[in-house]
Amino acid sequence: MAAKRLYEGDDQKENQDQQGGKRLKKLPSFSTVIRDVIMAKSLQNFCLALEPLLRQVVKEEMERKLAQGALMLPRSPQRQIQEEFSSLKLIFKKQLNLPIYTFSKIDDEEGDHLQIQIIDTLTGETPVAFYRLSNLKVEIVAVNGDFPGDREEWMATEFNNNIMREREGRRPLLLGDVSVTLRDGVAYITNLSFTDNSSWIRSRHFRIGARVVPDSYDGPRILEALTERFTVKDQRGELYKKHYPPALGDDVWRLDRIGKGGAFHQKLGAERIETVQDFLKLLVIDPDHLRVMLSSMSDKMWEGTINHARTCPIGSKRYLFNDPYYGNTVFLNSICEVVGVILHGNLYTTDQLPIQQRAYVQSLAKQAYYNWDKLEETEFSLPANALLPKLPAPQGLMASSSWHAANQEITTVTEFQIEGPNESQLFEAAFSLDCFGSKTHPD
């Protein structure tokens, strides 16, 4: 038993010696310590020498990253426009002829083809260099009516993002000359129409735009052209379209501010004013009565209707009316305006008549108005700058006081005529002069 314990004790001592030996091996030698110190010093010196270079590299990299981030940030429209734009611009030379209906040809306000021109905004003229270009392609597109707001310039991407396309399953929104070529800085659009109305887009309005076809031109940016905003109505609405200018035979509701079947249309119809010609004839003969008929119209609406009616071409037709009492003749145009009168066998214009005789002639025009269907059409034409004889003075009255009294009476009646005399007053004024014949006033 004792020997066994001795063995165990020797074994433990041996283990302790082994552990102590290991602990001695882990201690660094003097040379190792010196080497480590030298390496640390060298590394420190290296880092100190490398620091300026690292700082420069980091600085340059940070600046590069910051610059890239700045490019990704949104820039102000003014800054973008300044960077992207030149002074070149496409324009439509004239406004559109409105309203516009689907499948109807689009013209300018004078009824001519739409015209596009390239100009330099600094001079307002086409640059000389572009007179030599014959291959600058221009595309015609429909644009959202809300674009570009109140701005006069925009980016190409903004313009492109507001181009309107046809609805799914429909024909192209624009038909006709959707691609034209500038020649001497100008291009004409001879045939262009919409295939769809504008009610399906949020703005309810379109514009027509013109842009240089991408990749067809290598030069300074050319700003796109835009028309004013407008609505496009269905073609069936053209049945109710106003005519510019109206024709004599057009229904009276073709005039501005008079709607078909509306209150004004009904009031005019009740007075047998059915056509534009009827409207103009009454406007010439008795404008006050016409105004009373449309008394619910505001003054602004009245002026608009009258101005529109006066654009109507009246043609060259002439009509004559004979005075059944004195045999004098008046010649009238298609809207009952007096263009000439025969008194005592001589032809006169209304401008050559004294004021007193003009009242008489106007009374004849009024009679002609109420007997329009009985008038005789004639080939009457008044020579330009014709020298016509003067209207003879009444015989036997020039030297007498009765002439002066009659003249004073007519002057008084003429003043009344400005305010609106009745027909009997005009006849009394005319008959008081002895220059329309020898017949006496009929009972």
Side-chain angles (χ1 to χ4, degrees):
M1 293 296 292
K4 186 177 183 180
R5 282 196 297 268
L6 179 62
Y7 175 80
E8 292 178 353
D10 293 340
D11 187 53
Q12 291 178 354
K13 184 177 179 179
E14 184 179 356
N15 292 337
Q16 289 176 359
D17 291 342
Q18 291 177 355
Q19 293 177 358
K22 291 181 180 179
R23 284 197 297 268
L24 291 175
K25 288 180 181 181
K26 289 182 179 178
L27 293 176
S29 65
F30 178 76
S31 60
T32 301
V33 172
I34 296 301
R35 187 176 64 250
D36 291 343
V37 170
I38 293 174
M39 291 181 61
K41 187 66 176 178
S42 300
L43 182 60
Q44 183 179 5
N45 293 336
F46 176 75
C47 291
L48 290 175
L50 191 61
E51 181 179 2
L53 179 61
L54 292 175
R55 286 181 180 274
Q56 183 65 25
V57 172
V58 171
K59 180 181 177 180
E60 292 178 355
E61 186 66 17
M62 290 295 294
E63 289 178 349
R64 189 177 66 84
K65 292 296 184 182
L66 289 174
Q68 290 178 349
L71 291 175
M72 297 177 64
L73 294 175
R75 293 172 290 175
S76 64
Q78 292 80 4
R79 176 73 176 276
Q80 292 172 319
I81 289 170
Q82 291 174 358
E83 294 176 355
E84 187 180 355
F85 278 43
S86 68
S87 60
L88 299 178
K89 180 179 182 179
L90 292 174
I91 63 168
F92 287 93
K93 292 200 66 174
K94 296 178 182 178
Q95 300 290 330
L96 300 178
N97 183 16
L98 303 178
I100 293 177
Y101 294 88
T102 55
F103 299 102
S104 294
K105 182 183 174 183
I106 300 173
D107 297 316
D108 67 21
E109 58 189 348
E110 296 183 0
D112 299 325
H113 300 317
L114 294 183
Q115 184 175 349
I116 300 172
Q117 182 179 2
I118 184 171
I119 64 169
D120 187 328
T121 56
L122 300 179
T123 64
E125 302 292 336
T126 298
V128 176
F130 282 91
Y131 279 106
R132 304 188 185 98
L133 292 180
S134 60
N135 60 346
L136 189 62
K137 304 296 183 180
V138 175
E139 181 183 10
I140 310 302
V141 295
V143 179
N144 188 345
D146 283 345
F147 177 78
D150 56 357
R151 291 182 295 158
E152 295 184 357
E153 293 183 332
W154 50 85
M155 293 199 311
T157 53
E158 293 178 300
F159 181 89
N160 295 338
N161 290 338
N162 281 277
I163 293 177
M164 303 302 300
R165 303 298 181 186
E166 64 275 8
R167 287 190 276 183
E168 185 177 355
R170 302 243 179 168
R171 302 174 66 180
L173 190 55
L174 283 177
L175 291 180
D177 298 337
V178 295
S179 180
V180 294
T181 302
L182 284 180
R183 302 195 182 279
D184 295 332
V186 177
Y188 293 91
I189 305 173
T190 60
N191 183 27
L192 187 69
S193 62
F194 279 88
T195 63
D196 201 356
N197 62 60
S198 58
S199 63
W200 53 276
I201 63 174
R202 184 174 181 180
S203 67
R204 301 291 192 271
H205 290 82
F206 286 132
R207 294 180 192 266
I208 296 177
R211 65 172 180 172
V212 175
V213 175
D215 302 327
S216 69
Y217 162 75
D218 183 16
R221 166 76 193 283
I222 300 176
L223 187 67
E224 298 81 6
L226 282 174
T227 66
E228 71 274 30
R229 67 199 304 261
F230 55 85
T231 59
V232 177
K233 303 177 182 180
D234 283 326
Q235 190 178 39
R236 60 178 179 270
E238 193 167 10
L239 298 174
Y240 302 92
K241 179 183 178 180
K242 305 299 182 180
H243 289 172
Y244 300 93
L248 289 174
D250 282 347
D251 292 325
V252 70
W253 55 263
R254 296 286 187 182
L255 296 176
D256 284 342
R257 280 80 174 181
I258 300 177
K260 184 177 182 181
F264 299 143
H265 187 203
Q266 293 178 8
K267 289 180 180 180
L268 293 170
E271 297 282 344
R272 296 185 179 180
I273 308 300
E274 298 175 350
T275 65
V276 173
Q277 184 178 16
D278 295 337
F279 185 93
L280 286 170
K281 287 192 297 182
L282 185 57
L283 180 63
V284 169
I285 295 300
D286 197 348
D288 292 336
H289 179 55
L290 182 60
R291 184 69 180 100
V292 170
M293 291 168 57
L294 303 177
S295 58
S296 56
M297 264 190 179
S298 67
D299 290 341
K300 185 176 181 180
M301 293 176 63
W302 167 257
E303 288 297 327
T305 303
I306 296 304
N307 291 338
H308 184 204
R310 285 173 175 162
T311 64
C312 175
I314 60 176
S316 58
K317 287 186 177 181
R318 298 293 183 262
Y319 304 85
L320 65 85
F321 175 76
N322 293 312
D323 184 347
Y325 299 109
Y326 297 99
N328 299 309
T329 302
V330 292
F331 297 92
L332 308 107
N333 61 18
S334 297
I335 60 174
C336 216
E337 290 176 329
V338 177
V339 294
V341 57
I342 296 179
L343 299 176
H344 293 293
N346 294 319
L347 178 63
Y348 302 91
T349 66
T350 54
D351 293 337
Q352 293 173 311
L353 297 176
I355 295 178
Q356 298 86 344
Q357 281 74 39
R358 292 181 193 177
Y360 162 72
V361 171
Q362 187 61 27
S363 71
L364 293 182
K366 192 171 184 179
Q367 292 185 63
Y369 171 78
Y370 288 110
N371 294 276
W372 190 261
D373 294 339
K374 300 177 183 178
L375 298 187
E376 179 183 349
E377 189 172 341
T378 180
E379 298 296 329
F380 168 84
S381 62
L382 190 65
N385 301 321
L387 296 177
L388 302 178
K390 293 183 179 180
L391 187 68
Q395 299 178 356
L397 292 178
M398 183 61 74
S400 66
S401 59
S402 60
W403 159 254
H404 298 287
N407 189 29
Q408 181 63 36
E409 179 182 356
I410 297 304
T411 302
T412 305
V413 172
T414 304
E415 293 173 354
F416 290 158
Q417 190 257 345
I418 296 176
E419 300 175 0
N422 56 44
E423 189 172 344
S424 62
Q425 285 179 306
L426 296 177
F427 272 114
E428 291 295 338
F431 293 139
S432 65
L433 293 177
D434 189 21
C435 61
F436 298 119
S438 59
K439 294 184 180 180
T440 59
H441 187 288
D443 295 335

